[in-house]
Amino acid sequence: MNLMEYKYKDMIHRCFRCGYCKFPTDWSDVTNCPPYARFRLESYSAGGRLWLIRAWLNGELEWSPNLANIVYSCVGCKNCVEKCPHSFNDDVVNMIIAAKTAMVDEGKIPKAVGEFLTNVQLHGNPYGMAAKRREDWMEGLNLEPYKNQEYLFYVGCEGSYDTRAQGAARATAKLLQKAGVSFGVLGSQEISDGNEVEMMGEDALLEDLAKKNIKMFTDLGVKKIITLSPHSYNVFKNRYPDFGGEFQVYHHSQILANLLKKGLIKAPEQADARITFHDPCFLGRWNEEYSAPRKVLAAIPGATFAEMARNKKGALCCGGGAGNFYTDFLGGSEDSPARIRAREADETKANILAVACPNCLTMLEDAVKTEGLEDKIKVRDISEILTA
């Protein structure tokens, strides 16, 4: 692909690297872009990355593995979209995704990205694990397969396969059962939602997954979906309509907040709990849902709540988006965004770091352990806190 074939050829030159894309909303630091926080090189910021992409498409810069790593280090957190003061700000991340698509089309992608996409294509999940293992998280819960219940509980790849994220899936299912919610699951029939595939630039695979899921949901009569992951919530809500899939989609934090409000579940008293919350990017900046998880935490009797300095629109991403929970382009340093975030949580004196995303759960729990903070602060999904 050259610049004339690039979807954003009339826009990408308008970024002049003012640097605002690296700031949080309160202008307190320049490290709110996760790759820039990790490497502290301008080329890893959104503005620097756009200049490299333009030079590559113009033929002024040869493709190299290093260039691909820089492009794929973008985790799609949308901090740049939030902070860019220019009229094209909504398309900053889209311009980077389009460059990833160009690299996919030319077969010039990092090895880890290739493994992720191949596993999703062949096995329906990025781990390359068997479909029957998707039911491991359900053991002992006596869950029903989806068959005309009010809701489909879509667990997603992380909740199904990752042993830590399975805890959040189980806790959410128990709360739904306790509240008497009519829901069913797909078990081994579930496949990837496609959100990370799109963030990696594989448009054709996203379309294939979306069409398969839409057909399955439609054939089963699904109208309403509860997702464990904000990533699933985002793609079902915002991208599936482009392929003919119109469903009522809810993140589990929204359902739990409503069940608490109606008195169908009660939060256990936790007088010794001091809780802080990490905003998931695909729930917050991508879908502007900041209140539901905080309503859940506010319902816990006896607990105190402390916001981290960077929160809501200004929160620092954990670094796990766009498949980086698997590819790990930002790991291996005390400046990895998840480790920075773990230290910020510790600064609030909280003893619980609450999350509402299986990716954040695994990224931040690993970071807390690496920082040696596991005796001071526990990472818990909001559903796990309600079932403590």
Side-chain angles (χ1 to χ4, degrees), residues 90-111:
D90 284 344
D91 284 315
V92 174
V93 170
N94 292 335
M95 285 190 269
I96 296 168
I97 294 173
K100 292 179 179 178
T101 300
M103 291 187 178
V104 169
D105 290 345
E106 295 185 9
K108 296 177 176 179
I109 55 177
K111 181 181 177 182

Side-chain angles (χ1 to χ4, degrees), residues 21 45 47 52 122 126 146 171 192 203 212 223 241 247 270 319 323 337 341 350-351:
C21 53
S45 72
L52 289 176
L122 295 179
Y146 184 84
S192 169
D203 293 347
K212 286 177 178 174
K223 304 292 184 186
F247 307 99
Q270 299 189 45
R341 203 60 173 151
N351 52 23

Side-chain angles (χ1 to χ4, degrees), residues 72-227:
Y72 274 92
S73 70
C74 172
V75 294
C77 75
K78 271 195 169 181
N79 181 73
C80 51
V81 172
E82 194 66 43
K83 287 308 302 173
C84 176
H86 302 290
S87 59
F88 57 84
N89 67 321
D90 284 344
D91 284 315
V92 174
V93 170
N94 292 335
M95 285 190 269
I96 296 168
I97 294 173
K100 292 179 179 178
T101 300
M103 291 187 178
V104 169
D105 290 345
E106 295 185 9
K108 296 177 176 179
I109 55 177
K111 181 181 177 182
V113 174
E115 291 174 352
F116 186 107
L117 296 174
T118 298
N119 283 338
V120 171
Q121 185 171 30
L122 295 179
H123 305 285
N125 68 84
Y127 309 107
M129 296 176 71
K132 62 181 180 182
R133 296 288 304 277
R134 275 192 178 270
E135 297 184 353
D136 288 357
W137 73 274
M138 300 162 51
E139 185 176 354
L141 291 179
N142 193 28
L143 298 179
E144 296 180 355
Y146 184 84
K147 188 177 181 181
N148 296 322
Q149 292 96 332
E150 183 177 4
Y151 295 97
L152 166 67
F153 178 33
Y154 179 90
V155 180
C157 295
E158 294 75 37
S160 297
Y161 289 109
D162 185 277
T163 54
R164 180 63 189 89
Q166 286 174 349
R170 292 174 61 82
T172 302
K174 288 179 181 177
L175 290 166
L176 297 177
Q177 287 177 317
K178 190 173 183 179
V181 175
S182 170
F183 75 100
V185 296
L186 295 174
S188 62
Q189 301 304 305
E190 196 179 272
I191 60 172
S192 169
D193 53 62
N195 190 74
E196 309 314 291
V197 164
E198 180 175 38
M199 293 299 117
M200 290 177 159
E202 231 296 17
D203 293 347
L205 185 52
L206 166 66
E207 182 174 353
D208 181 58
L209 292 167
K211 288 182 175 178
K212 286 177 178 174
N213 275 322
I214 290 168
K215 183 178 188 307
M216 178 164 52
F217 297 168
T218 302
D219 289 348
L220 289 169
V222 172
K223 304 292 184 186
K224 300 178 180 178
I225 304 172
I226 301 171
T227 72

Side-chain angles (χ1 to χ4, degrees), residues 37-48:
R38 167 64 178 85
F39 295 103
R40 290 299 187 106
L41 295 171
E42 189 66 18
S43 53
Y44 280 87
S45 72

